[in-house]
Amino acid sequence: MSVRDVESADFTGPSGSIMKPKRKARFLLEGLTCSSCSNAVMNQVKSLPGIDQSSIKIALLPENRLDLEYEEATMTPDKIAESIQDIGFGATIIADEATVSKEALGRVQNGKNPIQTV
């Protein structure tokens, strides 16, 4: 059995349901001004396949941030960001798993703000 076999394997949870490997992602959100805005983003993200609904956390202040877990076989951070943008809010991936995006790392190395919208 190779590492790739283990990474792509399904695991059975306590209730007998299939558990897929999950990854964590963090997004900077723009345009959220109230709880209705955060509810709209929450509902949009919950509607996506492969999102662990119990992991979704939105922090409005001091920065508008979304943290969640997703099944990498079903969903990608880019698809999540596009879905949020489709309902009129900005969403920038600032971290996927424990790794900061290459763009954010480059901005830090150049002495700039690591959080920048696309």
Side-chain angles (χ1 to χ4, degrees):
M1 182 177 273
S2 71
V3 171
R4 174 134 353 262
D5 292 334
V6 172
E7 288 175 344
S8 64
D10 293 335
F11 301 96
T12 304
S15 64
S17 61
I18 300 295
M19 298 171 50
K20 303 266 187 187
K22 295 181 183 167
R23 296 195 62 173
K24 294 179 182 179
R26 175 172 285 174
F27 301 83
L28 176 68
L29 303 174
E30 289 188 54
L32 277 70
T33 57
C34 63
S35 61
S36 293
C37 296
S38 66
N39 287 337
V41 171
M42 178 75 77
N43 291 333
Q44 181 73 2
V45 172
K46 281 183 176 181
S47 73
L48 298 173
I51 301 294
D52 178 352
Q53 294 189 10
S54 67
S55 74
I56 302 170
K57 295 176 184 65
I58 295 179
L60 291 178
L61 297 173
E63 59 187 30
N64 293 339
R65 190 180 74 226
L66 166 67
D67 294 311
L68 56 75
E69 292 182 12
Y70 63 95
E71 293 175 358
E72 62 184 332
T74 310
M75 187 53 57
T76 67
D78 288 332
K79 288 180 185 176
I80 296 166
E82 286 174 20
S83 176
I84 294 168
Q85 292 164 358
D86 286 346
I87 62 168
F89 298 100
T92 304
I93 305 161
I94 55 175
D96 179 16
E97 216 29 49
T99 309
V100 176
S101 72
K102 290 179 184 176
E103 294 82 14
L105 183 58
R107 287 191 292 275
V108 168
Q109 290 171 340
N110 291 324
K112 297 179 182 173
N113 185 344
I115 301 172
Q116 180 176 318
T117 59
V118 235

